[in-house]
Amino acid sequence: MNKPIQLIDGNNAFMVLYSKNPTYDMFMNAIAALEQGGQTIWFWDGFDSRHYRRGIYPEYKAKRTKKPQDAAVFDLMNQFKANQTLPRIEIPQWEADDDVIAYMAKRLRLASPTRDIILFSTDADLKTLSATDQIQIPWIKSLPDISATDIHLYKSLVGDTSDNIKGCKGFGNVAWNSLDDLTKHLIRQALENDLGFPELGDFKYSRLLNVEWENVKMAYKLVKFRYDESLPKLIESHYVSGSRKPS
């Protein structure tokens, strides 16, 4: 029986495991145990990884504060990457979680329809893959009441404080809970196709959304998975491994 394919969000995994393992040996043992769970590919944020989204919204992730241990974690991370032997992908100006991992998870699912694929990250944006591509994502605990198919729409409307994404001003969880499936569908289709504000009938918050529509559209561009035709070739050229490339 084939081992599962494991996709590890490197920057995220390092922070998670560092916070749970107080000594160097415990931390490195946790990394080793994680890697041994299957056929593993590491994904790292590339240099200037926020470039694309900050071109859309300059304040993207601007309010994140550095913690005292961050410097030590990044030093350890760079040392680990320099000596890494397992497959890894790191593309300049691309974020690992919201961009490269999402694409690779879909690609690997098409290539291996019945094989277990496990994604290690706490980024809730990736939760949508559990619905659309049957990817297992055991670390995600945030937004438990929001379905996987609604994650991007929810963040576009309500916002995402961790990434400093505003969404629709004044549209909170009460407003979100008032949405029915048809209204969600109409809003989602308009966002996916970059259209004007849709007709929502007598929806209570329709006027508010209409006024804030451009902000909602911007938020959607920030939270959705990024893809352009250059990505497959970029993955090929930035894939580093001592073993064969995944099909």
Side-chain angles (χ1 to χ4, degrees), residues 3-244:
K3 287 186 175 181
I5 299 172
Q6 297 192 145
L7 312 180
I8 301 179
D9 179 357
N11 297 68
N12 182 283
F14 253 65
M15 290 297 183
V16 170
L17 295 178
Y18 190 89
S19 68
K20 294 181 177 180
N21 296 276
T23 70
Y24 175 82
D25 287 343
M26 290 175 65
F27 175 70
M28 295 309 296
N29 286 338
I31 291 285
L34 181 62
E35 290 183 328
Q36 291 168 9
Q39 180 184 346
T40 299
I41 308 172
W42 285 83
F43 296 80
W44 302 96
D45 286 342
F47 172 76
D48 196 19
S49 62
R50 300 174 186 178
H51 174 84
Y52 169 76
R53 287 181 173 82
R54 284 193 169 167
I56 299 171
Y57 178 53
E59 296 302 306
Y60 174 69
K61 292 187 177 180
K63 291 188 177 181
R64 291 194 173 183
T65 57
K66 292 184 177 181
K67 300 175 183 178
Q69 71 269 25
D70 284 358
V73 177
F74 280 107
D75 287 344
L76 190 59
M77 187 186 303
N78 289 330
Q79 178 185 351
F80 178 83
K81 287 195 289 182
N83 296 287
Q84 199 166 13
T85 58
L86 289 178
R88 65 184 175 90
I89 300 172
E90 182 176 354
I91 304 175
Q93 297 188 349
W94 284 77
E95 293 187 82
D97 49 3
D98 292 330
D99 303 326
V100 187
I101 291 178
Y103 171 76
M104 281 297 293
K106 292 174 177 290
R107 174 175 160 180
L108 290 166
R109 171 52 70 221
L110 288 173
S112 305
T114 61
R115 193 168 176 184
D116 286 341
I117 300 176
I118 307 173
L119 199 167
F120 290 97
S121 177
T122 60
D123 188 336
D125 289 321
L126 294 167
K127 184 178 177 181
T128 186
L129 296 172
S130 65
T132 58
D133 298 277
Q134 290 77 53
I135 309 296
Q136 300 174 44
I137 317 177
W139 284 5
I140 294 180
K141 306 299 181 185
S142 59
L143 300 178
D145 298 326
I146 306 301
S147 71
T149 54
D150 282 343
I151 286 290
H152 288 167
L153 180 61
Y154 175 85
K155 289 189 173 187
S156 300
L157 296 174
V158 179
D160 181 358
T161 56
S162 66
D163 287 348
N164 197 34
I165 296 172
K166 307 298 184 184
C168 175
K169 185 178 180 180
F171 194 97
N173 284 314
V174 172
W176 170 262
N177 290 331
S178 70
L179 289 166
D180 59 28
D181 290 341
L182 175 59
T183 306
K184 288 180 184 178
H185 172 74
L186 292 172
I187 296 172
R188 187 182 290 111
Q189 277 209 321
L191 292 173
E192 288 175 351
N193 294 287
D194 197 22
L195 302 176
F197 183 70
E199 173 57 51
L200 300 180
D202 59 356
F203 177 58
K204 180 178 179 180
Y205 296 93
S206 182
R207 182 176 179 182
L208 172 62
L209 286 174
N210 193 6
V211 171
E212 290 283 317
W213 187 241
E214 290 305 312
N215 289 331
V216 173
K217 288 173 67 175
M218 180 176 68
Y220 184 74
K221 291 176 181 178
L222 295 171
V223 302
K224 73 176 183 178
F225 298 139
R226 175 190 174 193
Y227 175 78
D228 65 45
E229 293 181 354
S230 69
L231 183 55
K233 288 186 177 180
L234 287 171
I235 288 173
E236 289 292 323
S237 61
H238 290 86
Y239 184 97
V240 178
S241 176
S243 60
R244 67 179 180 86

